[in-house]
Amino acid sequence: MNKFLWQIRVYYEDTDSGGVVYHSIYLNFMERARTEWLRSLGFEQDELIQKHDVVFAVRNLAIEYHLPARFNDSLVVSTEVVGVKQASLLFNQTITNAVTSEVLCSGSVRVASLSAQRFKPSAIPVGLREIIIKGN
Amino acid sequence: MNKFLWQIRVYYEDTDSGGVVYHSIYLNFMERARTEWLRSLGFEQDELIQKHDVVFAVRNLAIEYHLPARFNDSLVVSTEVVGVKQASLLFNQTITNAVTSEVLCSGSVRVASLSAQRFKPSAIPVGLREIIIKGN
Amino acid sequence: MNKFLWQIRVYYEDTDSGGVVYHSIYLNFMERARTEWLRSLGFEQDELIQKHDVVFAVRNLAIEYHLPARFNDSLVVSTEVVGVKQASLLFNQTITNAVTSEVLCSGSVRVASLSAQRFKPSAIPVGLREIIIKGN
Amino acid sequence: MNKFLWQIRVYYEDTDSGGVVYHSIYLNFMERARTEWLRSLGFEQDELIQKHDVVFAVRNLAIEYHLPARFNDSLVVSTEVVGVKQASLLFNQTITNAVTSEVLCSGSVRVASLSAQRFKPSAIPVGLREIIIKGN
């Protein structure tokens, strides 16, 4: 299985007054990584909307928070496709401290492929689906 | 001149690891207050888009940060229209600690009326413009 | 079982270019509601930090996204304690459209009680724990 | 005068339902760029806090919004120091579309040097101040 790695820096905007990254921000980091994974396969999401009427939306997720990330930390988000259906993808993702290699946060995220117009389930474009399956 | 007051609570999501509200979040608070001011005049922004093809967008702003707001603080945002043009509104806004009455943040924000379709300047709907002018 | 209800308005800041509330923002809404639930029991989190050295942090969560919330929607967040341990609480939370009563998002969130100083598990203050158990 | 350039990608989290980057997010982008500029000079802000008890906080700002950034855009933030005082720095910053070179947003930001402990003005550490002045 291929894991796509994407590096992210923690800025002030990501932290809260507890001194750590705010818990919902890890979801943003995971989505940035999924976007960059898609780009690494040659697919831009704005083109998927315009050419294929396809938009991806999170359907469900389960996250474990192990250790906090802090201001200025350098993080690595790992993204792995563990399931491909007609109109959804299942990802396993982890966020690791790039210096200590400690796993800070891990989880699974199911992303649905929707018609951008109707916001209803819509098959993943064939070309993309084939590349994802090959990539694994 | 009428000042519209809107109360906002500071949650963890609004703070940063400096222990205070992150500086860009005050702009969000000011926009929430402008939205509620518009609602208090009887105008819903989703209806303005659908019925009048009008969306408001910030054109420029100048903000002074006086004192920090902190987690759990109760704030009051004051909103006052100080200028009405064909396709823009000028607001003075301040954010005050609801308990101590200290002014934490103050500034002026110019908001342009745009066509939601074309994202180009478009006159403020007459009915709304009249109510704003009367309201002052 | 008591459910605590808290109303939240969707502002522009909460939405994304898909036209809907961004998926991580629902976690913020749920935390706002847990904060207000705690306040409704007579406990302020800044006092819990200062007097009891206790801070709450999300330990894990599982969320299902059913239907999108949109700009200007009025939402109701329901919060219910379904488990009380020595140093953690388990919540079931749902987010409902206040007008249509459709459930948009639901999930469970485990929150750990930590020492604010050491960021390690620390028993929930007895007074608070008793009130939570009675409240259920 | 040296201008420090920093590239930023627009993700869904940055956009709003108007289809464009939410206006307060440009302030986040500008702060990310100031953080990276400081890093490029050899200064990490977490070390400045720990070793020098110094934290930077925005004192005031004035921003012009010229053209919207959109989902998936690649942006370049330019950062230039245009004033150095005992306990504050004045920056001019612009945000440009990396592909079209259109200036989307420009402004000036005054950042105060504060004691991290007391949150009161505190001189910029001499070593940093000299490097900033030389750098210009």
Side-chain angles (χ1 to χ4, degrees), chain B residues 6 9-14 25 28-29 31-33 35-36 39 44-47 49 55-56 71-73, chain C residues 6 9-14 25 28-29 31-33 35-36 39 44-47 49 55-56 71-73:
Chain B
W6 183 252
R9 178 70 70 166
V10 176
Y11 297 109
Y12 269 123
E13 63 186 280
D14 305 314
I25 298 287
N28 302 19
F29 291 171
E31 201 201 34
R32 291 186 203 174
T35 295
E36 296 298 341
R39 198 189 320 281
E44 299 287 338
Q45 285 184 80
D46 45 359
E47 287 179 29
I49 296 170
V55 74
F56 290 107
F71 171 64
N72 225 17
D73 281 355
Chain C
W6 183 253
R9 178 69 71 165
V10 176
Y11 297 110
Y12 269 123
E13 62 187 281
D14 305 315
I25 297 287
N28 302 19
F29 291 170
E31 201 202 35
R32 290 186 204 175
T35 295
E36 296 298 341
R39 198 189 320 282
E44 298 287 339
Q45 286 185 82
D46 44 0
E47 287 179 29
I49 297 171
V55 74
F56 290 107
F71 172 64
N72 225 17
D73 281 356

Side-chain angles (χ1 to χ4, degrees), chain A residues 6 9 11-13 28-29 31-32 35-36 39 44-46 49 55-56 71-72, chain D residues 6 9 11-13 28-29 31-32 35-36 39 44-46 49 55-56 71-72:
Chain A
W6 184 252
R9 178 70 70 166
Y11 296 110
Y12 269 123
E13 63 187 279
N28 302 19
F29 292 170
E31 201 201 35
R32 290 186 205 175
T35 296
E36 296 297 342
R39 198 189 320 281
E44 298 287 337
Q45 286 184 81
D46 44 1
I49 297 171
V55 75
F56 290 106
F71 171 64
N72 225 15
Chain D
W6 184 252
R9 177 72 68 167
Y11 296 110
Y12 268 124
E13 62 187 280
N28 302 19
F29 291 170
E31 200 203 33
R32 290 186 203 174
T35 295
E36 297 297 341
R39 197 188 321 279
E44 297 288 338
Q45 284 184 82
D46 45 0
I49 296 171
V55 74
F56 290 106
F71 171 64
N72 225 16

Side-chain angles (χ1 to χ4, degrees), chain C residues 10-81:
Chain C
V10 176
Y11 297 110
Y12 269 123
E13 62 187 281
D14 305 315
T15 60
D16 69 22
S17 59
V20 300
V21 170
Y22 185 70
H23 73 289
S24 79
I25 297 287
Y26 295 92
L27 271 58
N28 302 19
F29 291 170
M30 287 179 173
E31 201 202 35
R32 290 186 204 175
R34 293 194 305 272
T35 295
E36 296 298 341
W37 161 79
L38 212 50
R39 198 189 320 282
S40 78
L41 299 181
F43 291 85
E44 298 287 339
Q45 286 185 82
D46 44 0
E47 287 179 29
L48 285 173
I49 297 171
Q50 288 151 27
K51 294 188 185 161
H52 297 275
D53 183 40
V54 159
V55 74
F56 290 107
V58 174
R59 182 68 190 78
N60 58 53
L61 51 79
I63 306 287
E64 287 278 331
Y65 297 93
H66 308 289
L67 285 168
R70 292 171 192 279
F71 172 64
N72 225 17
D73 281 356
S74 178
L75 309 178
V76 177
V77 187
S78 138
T79 301
E80 186 184 12
V81 179

